[in-house]
Amino acid sequence: MPDWTHDQIEKFGYAVANLVADYVRLVETSRVSPGTDPGTLEAEISTSWPETAEDPFALLAEFRDKIVPNSIHISSPNYYGLINPAPTLIGVFAETLAGALNQNCGAWGQSPAASTIERQVIEWLCRLLGYPPTAFGTLTTGGTLANVTAFKLALTWKFPEVAERGITALGSPATFYASEEGHFSLDRAADLVGIGRRHLRKIDSDDHFRIRVDLLCSAIERDLAEGYKPCGLIGIAGTTSTGNVDPLTALGDVARRYHLWYHVDAAYGGPAALSQKWPHLLAGIELADSVTMDPHKWLFVPNLAGAILVKNRQHLRDSFFLQPSYIPQKTADGEETLNFFQLGILGSRRFDALKIWLSLRHQGFEWYRSVIERQIGLCLLLRDLFQSEEGWTVMNRVELGILCVRYTSAALGEEMASSQGAERRMTERKIDQVNNEIQRRMVESGRAWISTTRLKGKTALRINVISHRTREEHVRGLFDLLRECARQAGLNSGNGPSQAADVPPASRT
């Protein structure tokens, strides 16, 4: 099929822009979740082998009629889910612009403007954290790849021989340390760099879901005594379940004392460093040797956009530098070029810097600061509402934009008060079931979307204020909706979930 003409491109572009505009206009009043199932969706969307060409406008109509209504509407102000924000609209259109240029951002020679823009974005993110001018980094596909990169940096820094001779050159296992609340990507990183998941030591957290420094030091001392080789320490700046922040300054002291690479996983919480209202939130993050930050989380950039930031840029080169003969390393005038493939894991790389660069410039850090502070404030408002409501327990201290609550009906509360041992554990499981039922009813209603998590062995309802469109009326509506779902999911004499009718569904738009 030949290239489209200018008129065809323009006509299709207008159609796409109109679809996006209609979507944004209607998203607040649409169901947040589609209320479908895998079998039904497969039958509705699956199509035959595409042997012959199809009309692009027919395909766009199929996207509008089948894909949009069967998606989770993350852009809704009533989405309180898994740290997936409503994206900036300039970021949405930046994806099209980047696709049109189709730059491979691994080498400057293949992407001169894109590489320059990525350098500037990285420098802005380093400045946001309070890093010195020696800092640098690279963009990644997200926090998982950034954390894998950090493990590799730690191994190369502590044990340079590993890059050539492999992990077996150490003789005895290298160990890393993180809170039990760490993201699953830390386990994956331990696996991928070859130390094995069992050598990622998961340290118990305190009542605020922050790593216990005393237990951390004991674990390091025990490993040293048993012949292991402590290598890296990971602090969490915004745990996935509760949004709590480890004691970053204390962890920096531990890392220096034991000569460990200090990495902070701030995939979610990193942009909280912008806050002027709560300037203490990420105190100590500047001590880290490396930091994970996901612009596709609290900088509201469309997926995917992650970053690994390193206090001393030389560590990136030490860990990843290779010089293949088929990739030019200099300009025609002999000037050394910036080649991001030499500073990280990825070879072929998308022009993801464009959507970050345009979003930051269009919105401005002032806007980001105000939204982040507003979202934390909305979370604190929800906390106060639940604390004043009988039957609800606030499970975490609100530090960022996540609140976890747990509902206990009056009947189950009485049962808990009069039971112990195995009988008490059985009652706790009933309470877990009720909270799972609350979440199910809410999601199936389509009126809002929240998740559940497990905290200290108990099921909690997890609310993440993450959409920049969410306002006070939305969180107050969520509070009322949760109370209604809790009433319907209440127990009949403590024996099981009631058969009350589901919450009235939202309209399907």
Side-chain angles (χ1 to χ4, degrees), residues 178-187 202 234 236 239-240 265:
S179 162
E180 61 181 346
E181 294 295 321
H183 190 260
F184 73 82
S185 60
L186 302 180
D187 299 88
K202 295 186 178 182
I234 301 96
I236 313 297
T239 60
T240 306
D265 182 355

Side-chain angles (χ1 to χ4, degrees), residues 213-283:
V213 177
D214 58 332
L215 297 182
L216 166 66
C217 293
S218 296
I220 297 171
E221 291 286 356
R222 183 165 56 251
D223 280 343
L224 286 169
E226 294 177 2
Y228 292 97
K229 296 185 174 181
C231 180
L233 169 60
I234 301 96
I236 313 297
T239 60
T240 306
S241 284
T242 65
N244 291 114
V245 180
D246 281 338
L248 301 180
T249 300
L251 293 186
D253 293 340
V254 172
R256 283 194 299 272
R257 187 189 322 162
Y258 292 102
H259 192 55
L260 305 176
W261 180 273
Y262 181 28
H263 176 67
V264 172
D265 182 355
Y268 166 41
L274 290 169
S275 177
Q276 295 174 347
K277 189 172 184 179
W278 295 287
H280 64 282
L281 287 173
L282 300 190

Side-chain angles (χ1 to χ4, degrees), residues 328-393:
Q329 310 294 304
K330 298 181 179 181
T331 66
D333 296 330
E335 182 182 353
E336 292 284 345
T337 56
L338 171 62
N339 301 305
F340 279 99
F341 86 93
Q342 295 175 318
L343 304 177
I345 293 173
L346 294 175
S348 298
R349 306 170 77 255
R350 295 184 75 251
F351 188 8
D352 286 326
L354 181 63
K355 58 191 173 187
I356 307 173
W357 190 69
L358 290 176
S359 293
L360 294 179
R361 292 185 63 194
H362 174 62
Q363 305 291 163
F365 281 117
E366 181 180 40
W367 178 83
Y368 282 102
R369 181 180 299 111
S370 68
V371 173
I372 288 168
E373 292 180 344
R374 171 163 55 86
Q375 290 181 336
I376 295 173
L378 290 174
C379 232
L380 291 169
L381 170 62
L382 268 177
R383 178 204 63 188
D384 294 344
L385 291 172
F386 280 110
Q387 284 180 335
S388 64
E389 186 74 9
E390 187 176 353
W392 292 90
T393 302

Side-chain angles (χ1 to χ4, degrees), residues 306-468:
I308 177 74
L309 309 171
V310 184
K311 185 185 291 187
N312 185 341
R313 68 182 64 202
Q314 184 61 38
H315 293 308
L316 291 165
R317 188 177 176 90
D318 292 345
S319 194
F320 294 105
F321 185 81
L322 293 170
Q323 200 166 13
S325 60
Y326 50 84
I327 300 180
Q329 310 294 304
K330 298 181 179 181
T331 66
D333 296 330
E335 182 182 353
E336 292 284 345
T337 56
L338 171 62
N339 301 305
F340 279 99
F341 86 93
Q342 295 175 318
L343 304 177
I345 293 173
L346 294 175
S348 298
R349 306 170 77 255
R350 295 184 75 251
F351 188 8
D352 286 326
L354 181 63
K355 58 191 173 187
I356 307 173
W357 190 69
L358 290 176
S359 293
L360 294 179
R361 292 185 63 194
H362 174 62
Q363 305 291 163
F365 281 117
E366 181 180 40
W367 178 83
Y368 282 102
R369 181 180 299 111
S370 68
V371 173
I372 288 168
E373 292 180 344
R374 171 163 55 86
Q375 290 181 336
I376 295 173
L378 290 174
C379 232
L380 291 169
L381 170 62
L382 268 177
R383 178 204 63 188
D384 294 344
L385 291 172
F386 280 110
Q387 284 180 335
S388 64
E389 186 74 9
E390 187 176 353
W392 292 90
T393 302
V394 171
M395 301 290 285
N396 68 306
R397 180 173 64 190
V398 172
E399 292 182 296
L400 302 181
I402 299 177
L403 173 70
C404 294
V405 295
R406 180 174 167 88
Y407 176 71
T408 304
S409 66
L412 284 177
E414 293 175 4
E415 193 173 312
M416 279 290 293
S418 62
S419 62
Q420 55 186 346
E423 185 179 339
R424 187 179 182 87
R425 289 191 293 273
M426 179 65 73
T427 305
E428 288 280 17
R429 286 194 289 271
K430 290 180 183 178
I431 298 172
D432 288 344
Q433 291 170 0
V434 169
N435 283 271
N436 284 324
E437 178 69 8
I438 292 170
Q439 190 265 352
R440 183 196 69 79
R441 288 173 179 270
M442 170 164 286
V443 170
E444 289 189 356
S445 78
R447 293 167 61 184
W449 202 102
I450 65 169
S451 62
T452 60
T453 190
R454 297 283 290 177
L455 300 176
K456 304 294 185 183
K458 298 178 180 180
T459 297
L461 299 165
R462 179 186 172 279
I463 303 163
N464 181 196
V465 181
I466 191 63
S467 173
H468 58 77

